[in-house]
């Protein structure tokens, strides 16, 4: 009996070492996740300080007008683009579908724009109370000039779009400074036509300017919602520069840290890291699954588990090669008999080396 117990001592010692190493690896992983979580919270806090929650929308002076849209999905996608770039003024002219269809709300991913949507019978109604308008088209006209891009339009007519007019912005800022009851800024209408044929010549003549969206040679026409998103994105960036908020956004705001000599971790490296963390979680009695519940066709009712949160954080934390291997290291007695190699080959003390879990 004593001989059997003595023979099991090396195995018990190996198990203890393995448990300690797994514990260390989990703590290292937790430390990395806390680091990236704190950075993300700091960036979010910086953004909140840039624009207070009660401030006006960045593109409040922009009105998006859709003329005779054909499908509810396109209306919903345009509403989502409006929300992306902070304009809640969406007008729909003579729609060929139900603008209140459930598909609209599903694609829009929210009610912030849809609750302000205005439906009218003709384009003139949508333009009556605006201070300017731009109709977007790919066609040149015999009696009108079509600008090749927003940049060309604004170079020739800086006041064509009120939201990005420096003179109008300075005047409005001065009015706000001099009086608490400054005149609300007017809106410029951005007019987009039918999915298959665009705006008619008569509709373009109602607009103060006509403008094209530069595209490549492979496919010249754009999906309606894509066209709206491209135009709003460009104006959003110009407006932020005008407001002195050019660095708004989680990805570009805050201190940009540099890890000299290290490349961003490849998807295969992060996948290997998560596989190892899953194995460690399973060895200590935790679930190695990302989530539980929900159906195969959607995420309704699905509950994210700890490893799922780790995967989500690592996916958006801009991890580099160092971070991708750090939690995978552990300490164990060096055994030439096992034929293991060490990366990097760093001696940590008597009888121990730093080795990857994959060794």
């Amino acid at each position: 009996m004593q001989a059997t117990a003595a023979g099991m001592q090396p195995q018990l010692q190996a198990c203890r070492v393995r448990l300690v190493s797994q514990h260390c690896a989990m703590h290292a992983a937790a430390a990395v996740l806390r680091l990236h979580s704190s950075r993300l919270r700091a960036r979010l806090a910086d953004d909140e300080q840039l624009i207070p929650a009660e401030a006006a929308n960045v593109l409040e002076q922009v009105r998006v007008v859709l003329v005779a849209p054909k499908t509810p999905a396109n209306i919903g996608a345009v509403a989502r683009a409006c929300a992306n770039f902070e304009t809640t003024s969406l007008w729909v002219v003579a729609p060929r579908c139900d603008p209140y269809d459930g598909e609209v709300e599903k694609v829009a991913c929210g009610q912030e724009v849809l609750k302000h949507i205005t439906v009218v019978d003709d384009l003139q109604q949508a333009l009556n109370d605006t201070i300017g308008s731009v109709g977007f088209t790919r066609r040149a006209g015999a009696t009108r000039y079509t600008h090749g891009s927003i940049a060309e339009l604004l170079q020739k007519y800086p006041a064509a779009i009120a939201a990005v007019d420096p003179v109008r912005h300075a005047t409005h800022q001065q009015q706000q400074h001099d009086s608490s009851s400054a005149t609300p800024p007017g809106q410029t209408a951005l007019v987009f036509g039918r999915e298959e044929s665009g705006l008619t010549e008569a509709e373009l003549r109602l607009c103060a300017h006509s403008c094209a969206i530069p595209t490549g040679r492979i496919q010249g026409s754009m999906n309606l919602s894509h066209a709206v998103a491209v135009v709003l994105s460009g104006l959003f960036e110009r407006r932020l520069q005008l407001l002195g908020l050019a660095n708004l956004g989680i990805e570009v705001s805050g201190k940009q840290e540099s890890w000299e000599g290290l490349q961003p971790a490849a998807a295969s490296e992060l996948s290997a890291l998560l596989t190892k963390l899953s194995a460690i979680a399973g060895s200590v009695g935790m679930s190695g699954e990302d989530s539980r519940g929900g159906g195969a066709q959607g995420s309704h009712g699905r509950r994210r588990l700890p490893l799922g949160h780790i995967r989500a954080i690592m996916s958006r934390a801009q991890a580099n090669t160092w971070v991708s291997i750090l939690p995978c290291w552990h300490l164990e007695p060096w055994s030439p008999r096992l034929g293991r190699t060490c990366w990097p080959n760093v001696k940590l003390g008597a009888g121990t080396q730093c080795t990857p879990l994959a060794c």
Side-chain angles (χ1 to χ4, degrees), residues 15 23 38 53 69 82 93 96 102 134 161 176-177 200 258 273 277:
C15 289
H23 182 72
S38 63
C82 290
V93 177
R96 292 176 288 166
V134 181
I161 301 177
Q176 286 185 316
H177 182 269
T200 66
S258 174
L273 166 61
L277 291 178

Side-chain angles (χ1 to χ4, degrees), residues 42 49 73 85 113 191 199 221 259 287 301 321 335 346:
Q49 292 172 5
F85 302 109
V113 175
V191 185
L199 296 169
S221 64
W259 296 60
S287 172
T321 51
S335 176
V346 180

Side-chain angles (χ1 to χ4, degrees), residues 7 60 357:
E60 66 167 343
L357 285 173

Side-chain angles (χ1 to χ4, degrees), residues 142-225:
T143 59
R144 60 175 170 78
Y145 181 80
T146 299
H147 299 276
S149 65
I150 287 285
E152 179 190 324
L153 168 64
L154 294 176
Q155 185 177 10
K156 294 182 179 179
Y157 301 97
I161 301 177
V164 293
D165 177 15
V167 175
R168 196 184 301 269
H169 174 70
T171 302
H172 182 65
Q173 291 292 95
Q174 187 61 42
Q175 288 178 346
Q176 286 185 316
H177 182 269
D178 295 341
S179 172
S180 59
S181 58
T183 304
Q187 288 187 324
T188 302
L190 307 178
V191 185
F192 299 86
R194 300 157 188 81
E195 290 94 330
E196 68 276 21
S197 58
L199 296 169
T200 66
E201 192 63 31
E203 289 163 346
L204 285 167
R205 283 198 294 269
L206 290 176
C207 301
H209 303 276
S210 61
C211 185
I213 301 174
T215 56
R217 295 170 294 174
I218 297 175
Q219 175 58 266
S221 64
M222 299 182 70
N223 172 272
L224 173 60
S225 62

Side-chain angles (χ1 to χ4, degrees), residues 65-71 75 91-97 120-121 192-199 203 224:
V65 179
L66 305 182
V67 177
K70 186 178 182 179
T71 64
I75 298 177
W91 289 54
V92 181
V93 177
R96 292 176 288 166
C97 62
V120 293
D121 295 328
F192 299 86
R194 300 157 188 81
E195 290 94 330
E196 68 276 21
S197 58
L199 296 169
E203 289 163 346
L224 173 60

Side-chain angles (χ1 to χ4, degrees), residues 304-319:
R304 183 178 286 179
L305 299 177
L307 195 68
H309 289 289
I310 293 176
R311 182 182 295 274
I313 293 173
M314 294 302 293
S315 297
R316 64 174 182 261
Q318 298 179 335

Side-chain angles (χ1 to χ4, degrees), residues 5-275:
M8 293 181 61
Q9 284 300 321
Q11 297 178 8
L12 293 173
Q13 179 64 23
C15 289
R16 282 196 292 269
V17 170
R18 177 66 66 178
L19 289 173
V20 170
S21 65
Q22 291 173 348
H23 182 72
C24 292
M26 290 295 288
H27 273 285
V32 172
L33 296 176
R34 284 196 298 269
L35 171 65
H36 285 293
S37 297
S38 63
R39 289 176 184 167
L40 187 60
R41 286 194 298 270
R43 289 179 179 181
L44 288 168
D46 289 342
D47 291 341
E48 291 172 356
Q49 292 172 5
L50 287 175
I51 294 187
E54 67 275 8
N57 290 327
V58 173
L59 291 183
E60 66 167 343
Q61 295 170 257
V62 169
R63 173 181 299 179
V64 174
V65 179
L66 305 182
V67 177
K70 186 178 182 179
T71 64
N74 269 335
I75 298 177
V78 168
R80 181 171 183 173
C82 290
N84 287 149
F85 302 109
E86 294 197 13
T87 176
T88 57
S89 183
L90 175 60
W91 289 54
V92 181
V93 177
R96 292 176 288 166
C97 62
D98 182 4
Y100 303 104
D101 185 87
E103 183 73 10
V104 176
E105 182 177 353
K106 179 180 178 181
V107 178
C109 296
Q111 285 285 335
E112 189 59 33
V113 175
L114 296 182
K115 67 184 180 183
H116 298 290
I117 195 171
T118 303
V119 181
V120 293
D121 295 328
D122 60 72
L123 179 57
Q124 187 61 62
Q125 289 179 270
L127 301 180
N128 280 337
D129 61 340
T130 62
I131 58 175
S133 56
V134 181
F136 289 89
T137 180
R138 294 181 58 229
R139 300 189 299 272
T143 59
R144 60 175 170 78
Y145 181 80
T146 299
H147 299 276
S149 65
I150 287 285
E152 179 190 324
L153 168 64
L154 294 176
Q155 185 177 10
K156 294 182 179 179
Y157 301 97
I161 301 177
V164 293
D165 177 15
V167 175
R168 196 184 301 269
H169 174 70
T171 302
H172 182 65
Q173 291 292 95
Q174 187 61 42
Q175 288 178 346
Q176 286 185 316
H177 182 269
D178 295 341
S179 172
S180 59
S181 58
T183 304
Q187 288 187 324
T188 302
L190 307 178
V191 185
F192 299 86
R194 300 157 188 81
E195 290 94 330
E196 68 276 21
S197 58
L199 296 169
T200 66
E201 192 63 31
E203 289 163 346
L204 285 167
R205 283 198 294 269
L206 290 176
C207 301
H209 303 276
S210 61
C211 185
I213 301 174
T215 56
R217 295 170 294 174
I218 297 175
Q219 175 58 266
S221 64
M222 299 182 70
N223 172 272
L224 173 60
S225 62
H226 295 176
V228 174
V230 167
V231 172
L232 291 180
S233 175
L235 295 179
F236 185 79
E237 185 175 0
R238 286 174 177 266
R239 178 65 177 170
L240 289 180
Q241 292 173 347
L242 198 61
L243 295 171
L245 300 173
N247 287 332
L248 180 67
I250 295 175
E251 296 301 323
V252 297
S253 66
K255 181 182 178 182
Q256 297 295 304
E257 299 196 25
S258 174
W259 296 60
E260 187 175 352
L262 292 175
Q263 297 295 324
S268 58
E269 292 175 320
L270 290 178
S271 178
L273 166 61
L274 292 167
T275 299

